[in-house]
Amino acid sequence: MKKIQMVDLQGQYQHIKETVDASIKEVLDSSTYINGPLVHEFQADLEKYLNVKHVIPCANGTDALQIAMMGLNLEQGDEVITADFTFAATVEVIGLLKLTPVLVDVEIDSFNMDIEALKRAITSKTKAIVPVHLFGQCANMEAILEIAKEHNLFVIEDNAQAIGADYTFSNGTKMKAGTIGNVGTTSFFPSKNLGCYGDGGAIFTNDDALAHTLRGIVNHGMYTRYYHDVVGVNSRLDSIQAGVLKAKLPFLDAYCEARRTAAKFYNEAFSTNEHIITPKSSSCGDICDTCNCHVFHQYTLRITNGKRDELHKHLLAKNIPNAIYYPVPLHKQKAYVDDRYNEKDFPVTNLLIEEVISLPMHTELDNEQLAYITETILDFIS
Ligand SMILES: *Cc1c(COP(=O)(O)O)cnc(C)c1O
């Protein structure tokens, strides 16, 4: 059996080596390392793939969030609501910009922002909602858009984990995750579903004026060369990374499918074990080809018999990598603790951090590996 990895970037590269190498060589031959033609080509390809008017490439997914918030002219003291159960980047940039983060609890089955908790958190100071499509599963965008409209709030989708996912509205309309709110952001960190070979990120919007503003902010606040109209940042996707991404984008749908296939294997294996709860996958509750909501950036189980930590160690001893995403809720992180929070408001996040465990999930898992992983888990949790 091939050695099992949490993410197999080497195996994936071997399948696309020729295309990726040719793309990188094109950059080397042209020596246009910054703002080269491949950056613009990748941008256009991604706009087409996502069916969005504007993609603004930038240096990483954290910058993408920060720049999106800068572009919306949010001001010190404005409240920005996001989920308590996510990677810290989301709340980090809110703090950096001196906005006020407001963390809310998540849903037990989707791990995404709880709509009732969101409603309770809205005050007269609230300016924006940042839903995170956690682990590759879209947040309840239909409800979030309705609430945003009612209270006149911006919606910034943190789509770092769900690029390629389709969100289906109740009337059947489909949109790509990240293109639904006022603005969406993503990360091309190597292990993300569309990863480059270094750091990279992008911002998406259908708003022409906002896109113009964002293009200036990523480039030192310049709209005309050497005329700086606003305080900006230096945040660029370099040409080599754009070359890698342009080569990989045509494979994204197949990569999502490979992840869903592995997830189906896991789901079926665990379906009858009463202590293992498999991830909810779409609005219809299954890995459904018509909803296609989940792109399984992570495959995350809940272990409900109290043995999650033992399982974590047992699997490592059996050479099965696994991870606890995330071990501490953001409202308990030293950097983000605040008197405003009340433990009673976070029952779900507090439970999830005790129960969740993420299994190997990538595009190269084979059935022999999946059988070994599932059998090892089922032997231990019976
Ligand atoms: C990875 C990630 C980010 C940050 O992306 P970087 O490119 O690493 O800066 C932001 N939000 C979420 C939810 C992420 O998973």
Side-chain angles (χ1 to χ4, degrees):
M1 186 174 60
K2 262 193 320 185
K3 182 171 181 276
I4 299 172
Q5 299 185 60
M6 198 67 186
V7 179
D8 185 0
L9 295 178
Q10 184 55 237
Q12 190 187 62
Y13 170 63
Q14 289 308 325
H15 286 126
I16 54 171
K17 185 171 166 23
E18 272 176 34
T19 333
V20 172
D21 289 2
S23 209
I24 293 175
K25 187 166 180 300
E26 196 180 323
V27 179
L28 299 181
D29 287 340
S30 75
S31 301
T32 47
Y33 299 113
I34 299 289
N35 277 329
L38 277 166
V39 179
H40 304 284
E41 287 170 33
F42 168 63
Q43 176 192 320
D45 289 356
L46 190 58
E47 283 166 353
K48 193 158 169 246
Y49 174 84
L50 293 172
N51 192 23
V52 71
K53 275 171 97 176
H54 305 282
V55 165
I56 297 105
C58 65
N60 58 68
T62 309
D63 276 9
L65 282 162
Q66 179 181 330
I67 293 157
M69 288 179 204
M70 289 169 77
L72 293 170
N73 283 322
L74 301 180
E75 286 171 12
Q76 184 159 356
D78 286 351
E79 292 180 359
V80 179
I81 302 175
T82 193
D84 188 36
F85 189 61
T86 176
F87 181 60
T90 326
V91 68
E92 179 176 63
V93 300
I94 300 172
L96 265 176
L97 294 173
K98 305 270 184 256
L99 310 173
T100 304
V102 177
L103 297 168
V104 297
D105 208 8
V106 295
E107 297 173 345
I108 190 86
D109 51 2
S110 74
F111 306 150
N112 280 322
M113 181 178 280
D114 181 280
I115 299 303
E116 293 310 313
L118 165 63
K119 286 184 190 162
R120 283 195 297 273
I122 292 173
T123 72
S124 58
K125 291 186 182 160
T126 309
K127 286 287 156 54
I129 309 169
V130 188
V132 182
H133 303 314
L134 200 73
F135 302 152
Q137 165 75 72
C138 289
N140 184 346
M141 289 306 292
E142 190 154 352
I144 291 169
L145 289 185
E146 245 169 61
I147 293 166
K149 195 168 170 203
E150 186 185 333
H151 297 271
N152 199 20
L153 309 174
F154 294 118
V155 176
I156 305 163
E157 296 174 75
D158 181 346
N159 194 36
Q161 301 192 2
I163 193 156
D166 286 312
Y167 181 80
T168 311
F169 287 83
S170 51
N171 68 4
T173 310
K174 279 187 188 213
M175 290 177 91
K176 286 284 183 199
T179 68
I180 305 164
N182 300 85
V183 58
T185 64
T186 202
S187 163
F188 303 122
F189 185 81
S191 64
K192 300 281 157 96
N193 288 23
L194 178 62
C196 57
Y197 297 165
D199 273 310
I203 311 163
F204 320 133
T205 186
N206 284 308
D207 179 331
D208 296 337
L210 179 60
H212 174 75
T213 304
L214 296 170
R215 288 211 170 88
I217 293 173
V218 297
N219 191 24
H220 302 291
M222 276 195 289
Y223 297 89
T224 307
R225 208 154 194 208
Y226 301 121
Y227 290 81
H228 303 272
D229 295 358
V230 294
V231 177
V233 294
N234 169 18
S235 185
R236 291 183 284 239
L237 180 71
D238 71 67
S239 305
I240 290 182
Q241 300 310 332
V244 172
L245 290 164
K246 181 176 152 63
K248 286 183 74 176
L249 180 59
F251 298 98
L252 179 57
D253 283 341
Y255 288 163
C256 293
E257 204 46 49
R259 288 171 179 272
R260 273 199 283 267
T261 303
K264 270 186 196 165
F265 190 112
Y266 281 139
N267 274 6
E268 277 160 27
F270 298 131
S271 62
T272 54
N273 188 302
E274 58 175 330
H275 305 301
I276 300 178
I277 300 181
T278 57
K280 179 187 168 187
S281 304
S282 69
S283 34
C284 68
D286 195 5
I287 300 177
C288 160
D289 297 323
T290 51
C291 296
N292 268 357
C293 280
H294 209 315
V295 291
F296 293 98
H297 175 59
Q298 300 295 343
Y299 183 88
T300 304
L301 295 174
R302 287 172 54 210
I303 304 298
T304 58
N305 66 352
K307 294 202 167 158
R308 192 274 313 268
D309 289 339
E310 285 170 57
L311 176 65
H312 168 66
K313 288 190 199 116
H314 178 72
L315 293 180
L316 292 181
K318 296 278 181 188
N319 295 316
I320 299 173
N322 66 95
I324 311 300
Y325 301 124
Y326 296 91
V328 183
L330 289 179
H331 79 273
K332 288 187 185 171
Q333 295 282 3
K334 254 193 218 162
Y336 306 112
V337 285
D338 196 302
D339 293 341
R340 290 175 292 128
Y341 297 132
N342 183 335
E343 275 317 304
K344 286 205 287 287
D345 290 331
F346 301 99
V348 176
T349 308
N350 286 340
L351 178 69
L352 288 177
I353 56 135
E354 305 286 340
E355 290 186 344
V356 289
I357 185 163
S358 297
L359 303 184
M361 174 49 79
H362 53 78
T363 57
E364 313 301 314
L365 284 165
D366 63 38
N367 281 358
E368 188 187 10
Q369 293 174 315
L370 289 165
Y372 174 71
I373 296 166
T374 50
E375 279 158 25
T376 307
I377 293 173
L378 288 167
D379 280 349
F380 192 77
I381 305 280
S382 49

